[in-house]
Amino acid sequence: MEEEIKIRSEKLDFFYGDNQALFDINMNIPKGLVTALIGPSGCGKSTYLRTLNRMNDTIFGTVVKGIVEIDGVNIYNKSTDVVTLRKRVGMIFQKSTPFPKSIYENIAYGPRIHGSTARKDLDMVVEKSLKNAGLWDEVKDRLNKSAMGLSGGQQQRLCIARALAVDPEILLMDEPASALDPKSTARIEDLIGELKGNYTIVIVTHNMQQAARVSDKTAFFYEGELIEFGDTKKIFTKPDMQKTEEYITGKFG
Amino acid sequence: MSIYLQNELRKLKKKIFSQCTVVEESLRFAIKALLNKDGDTADKVIEKDDQIDRFEIEIEEDCLKMLALYQPVATDLRLIVSILKINSDLERVGDLAQNIAQRAKALVNLEGEIPDFDFNGMCNLSLKMLNDSIDSLVDLDMQKAQAVIDTDNEIDDMNSRMYDIFVEQVSKDPHKMKLYLNYLSVSRYLERIADHATNISEDVIYMIEGTIVRHAE
């Protein structure tokens, strides 16, 4: 079956001032699947992830060359509305970042700034998002309590729920489980599996086994270059490139 | 973590190679016992089987431990999975060598040979296939592994010829049924040893190339 392409980057270079962090990245990320970005620290995987919703724009002195298309439209066009872009392309970070507000307000915040104000609509969004993030049953009786009282794993799922609340098409996850215990990690990984299909997910992870478990496609980055991109099953059993083999078998990095 | 895994892999390879040596020797002695109708040598083969069985379990436990502790991928994963499978093929070859030794002991008391059949040739071919499959594992030699796979039909043909001769001889000479039955059994064992050598070679190819060549026509 032919995969539908959701995100396409072509000849993508990225610079932090004079320092080039990405070199000529060409990659087609399929729709509705999970793509894992792996590679040693400083290889450019998180930088690449952040080019997909223009999060790097917030860093002074950065320069992007080349193309990143979502559904065939270059997101670096002058006409792109970055707020709308980030609504379509949600992001979850390594460290959970709940707002110091109630659980309910954390979820309702996004929809509210995008124009939903009716309490009934917001109630529905909050419930749906928390259910999709697998958190509803744990928090439904304390929606008005502070989100800061949740456990680390729950906070991370709250952040996923918050991202889901604005109805995104793509979820970017930057090491979403690296600060969590094994049980919470497993919960996040299960959730990624449940969300797949409805969302295109791109995940950066240092945990090779996690990449192998959750993703359909894997991209290996090294020193700012995309070394190999392909089916996860193939990358972890018989990669084509020697460098990939050496990295995933722990011979360097 | 890599250093730990690489050390464990080195030890694992050493163990499987020494199991190869023991099993190969066992088969060689079993054949010697058979062709010379030598009961003492046959007894040695039978005694050796316990050691092969114990070592099989040890290697399997090592493989499982490495899979659980290191979650290996790519070449490391293929190496461990292949060794896990080769290990059980070797143990089966050990059992079959023991079976041959038992037939050899039975033949000590039976006069005569099976006529019109190159039994030496079949024994040697089966032993050569096992040796070559082991060499292909040690040297990671694809060509040698493929050559073993290609030879398997020859042994199959020999085994069916043996069956035809058995039927013919039993109808001619029914009182020698016991003698011929022993040879027929050995032929079947040799054919199965060749199958295990073929399996080992297929696993060697998987280890090197990552391609499963089993059941390919």
Side-chain angles (χ1 to χ4, degrees):
Chain A
M1 200 177 69
E2 188 131 334
E3 287 157 349
E4 190 181 336
I5 303 304
K6 183 72 182 172
I7 306 168
R8 189 173 78 88
S9 56
E10 191 185 314
K11 294 181 180 165
L12 183 72
D13 293 327
F14 186 86
F15 302 82
Y16 292 105
D18 294 334
N19 186 14
Q20 186 164 359
L22 293 176
F23 298 83
D24 193 29
I25 308 296
N26 296 289
M27 185 152 83
N28 290 334
I29 296 177
K31 183 178 179 179
L33 297 182
V34 180
T35 298
L37 311 181
I38 61 167
S41 297
C43 69
K45 56 190 187 300
S46 291
T47 300
Y48 177 74
L49 188 78
R50 289 196 304 266
T51 62
L52 305 181
N53 68 346
R54 292 184 55 173
M55 281 298 273
N56 289 320
D57 288 13
T58 58
I59 304 168
F60 181 74
T62 57
V63 176
V64 182
K65 287 181 184 165
I67 294 171
V68 176
E69 284 181 356
I70 294 177
D71 293 334
V73 177
N74 188 357
I75 61 169
Y76 285 91
N77 281 343
K78 283 208 172 79
S79 56
T80 301
D81 173 10
V82 179
V83 175
T84 310
L85 171 70
R86 292 187 191 138
K87 177 180 172 295
R88 289 176 69 198
V89 188
M91 192 154 191
I92 291 101
F93 300 91
Q94 178 179 7
K95 198 173 177 316
S96 50
T97 50
F99 304 140
K101 291 172 176 286
S102 69
I103 294 167
Y104 185 97
E105 283 306 318
N106 262 275
I107 309 295
Y109 185 83
R112 204 176 267 141
I113 61 167
H114 286 290
S116 300
T117 48
R119 179 76 193 191
K120 210 176 120 196
D121 293 346
L122 287 174
D123 285 353
M124 266 171 54
V125 170
V126 169
E127 181 174 341
K128 187 176 162 209
S129 306
L130 286 168
K131 276 184 175 164
N132 286 342
L135 191 60
W136 175 251
D137 288 337
E138 292 162 60
V139 300
K140 63 184 177 200
D141 300 325
R142 49 169 171 155
L143 291 175
N144 294 318
K145 296 266 168 58
S146 169
M148 307 310 280
L150 296 173
S151 73
Q154 287 172 326
Q155 286 188 8
Q156 194 61 307
R157 278 181 282 144
L158 179 77
C159 291
I160 294 175
R162 197 172 64 193
L164 297 178
V166 292
D167 202 17
E169 298 156 33
I170 297 165
L171 288 175
L172 308 179
M173 300 185 173
D174 195 352
E175 298 194 51
S178 64
L180 303 178
D181 63 59
K183 197 176 168 197
S184 305
T185 299
R187 190 69 200 83
I188 297 285
E189 289 178 4
D190 291 348
L191 180 57
I192 290 170
E194 287 158 23
L195 295 173
K196 174 173 114 169
N198 293 324
Y199 305 91
T200 301
I201 298 173
V202 187
I203 175 172
V204 163
T205 176
H206 267 126
N207 181 335
M208 218 82 68
Q209 278 71 41
Q210 182 170 71
R213 282 192 297 267
V214 303
S215 71
D216 304 288
K217 299 274 176 184
T218 296
F220 169 57
F221 283 76
Y222 184 66
E223 293 184 345
E225 291 182 43
L226 176 62
I227 305 295
E228 187 166 352
F229 176 54
D231 287 342
T232 297
K233 201 167 74 179
K234 170 121 192 341
I235 298 266
F236 282 93
T237 52
K238 182 73 177 73
D240 287 329
M241 307 301 289
Q242 182 67 22
K243 207 86 208 158
T244 315
E245 167 88 39
E246 287 171 7
Y247 179 69
I248 62 172
T249 56
K251 295 191 177 71
F252 79 93
Chain B
M1 179 175 115
S2 163
I3 289 174
Y4 295 116
L5 176 61
Q6 296 313 316
N7 285 340
E8 294 286 330
L9 287 174
R10 244 192 312 278
K11 282 191 237 160
L12 180 67
K13 276 196 228 168
K14 219 169 144 187
K15 279 188 184 172
I16 195 84
F17 291 162
S18 79
Q19 178 79 320
C20 285
T21 310
V22 175
V23 169
E24 188 267 339
E25 193 183 71
S26 202
L27 178 61
R28 202 152 32 81
F29 279 113
I31 289 172
K32 193 176 154 198
L34 178 84
L35 297 177
N36 299 335
K37 295 194 174 180
D38 172 357
D40 293 342
T41 306
D43 281 334
K44 281 184 195 145
V45 173
I46 294 164
E47 280 166 27
K48 202 84 178 163
D49 196 50
D50 261 359
Q51 183 195 332
I52 295 173
D53 290 350
R54 276 199 309 275
F55 214 47
E56 185 225 0
I57 290 172
E58 195 178 317
I59 291 172
E60 184 171 317
E61 282 176 345
D62 286 352
C63 290
L64 295 177
K65 187 184 83 181
M66 273 182 250
L67 290 172
L69 294 186
Y70 303 104
Q71 291 124 39
V73 292
T75 35
D76 298 340
L77 175 68
R78 299 206 306 275
L79 177 71
I80 296 172
V81 168
S82 302
I83 287 180
L84 199 52
K85 296 177 76 184
I86 289 169
N87 185 40
S88 64
D89 278 309
L90 287 172
E91 188 274 331
R92 291 294 300 129
V93 172
D95 284 348
L96 291 164
Q98 188 192 27
N99 293 350
I100 292 173
Q102 275 157 350
R103 293 300 110 219
K105 280 182 78 172
L107 283 165
V108 170
N109 305 317
L110 295 168
E111 282 290 312
E113 308 280 330
I114 187 122
D116 305 327
F117 190 78
D118 179 13
F119 216 82
N120 257 329
M122 189 178 189
C123 288
N124 289 335
L125 185 58
S126 173
L127 183 60
K128 182 176 183 309
M129 284 176 73
L130 181 70
N131 281 337
D132 287 352
S133 70
I134 289 170
D135 285 351
S136 76
L137 169 69
V138 175
D139 303 332
L140 293 179
D141 183 338
M142 288 268 297
Q143 272 83 31
K144 198 164 257 181
Q146 188 57 53
V148 172
I149 297 169
D150 296 340
T151 312
D152 192 38
N153 282 343
E154 259 182 71
I155 285 271
D156 291 346
D157 291 345
M158 284 176 164
N159 186 45
S160 23
R161 206 157 58 245
M162 166 60 92
Y163 180 77
D164 293 341
I165 290 170
F166 168 80
V167 171
E168 193 188 313
Q169 291 303 320
V170 166
S171 54
K172 248 197 251 172
D173 224 349
H175 67 280
K176 283 192 173 171
M177 167 80 108
K178 226 172 164 184
L179 174 81
Y180 298 146
L181 251 182
N182 277 301
Y183 279 110
L184 180 68
S185 300
V186 173
S187 165
R188 177 79 186 117
Y189 300 147
L190 291 170
E191 187 266 329
R192 275 157 63 185
I193 287 168
D195 285 345
H196 290 295
T198 302
N199 291 350
I200 292 171
S201 302
E202 287 165 346
D203 288 328
V204 169
I205 292 178
Y206 173 71
M207 193 192 284
I208 302 168
E209 271 213 317
T211 322
I212 296 172
V213 292
R214 233 171 30 250
H215 313 307
E217 279 306 317

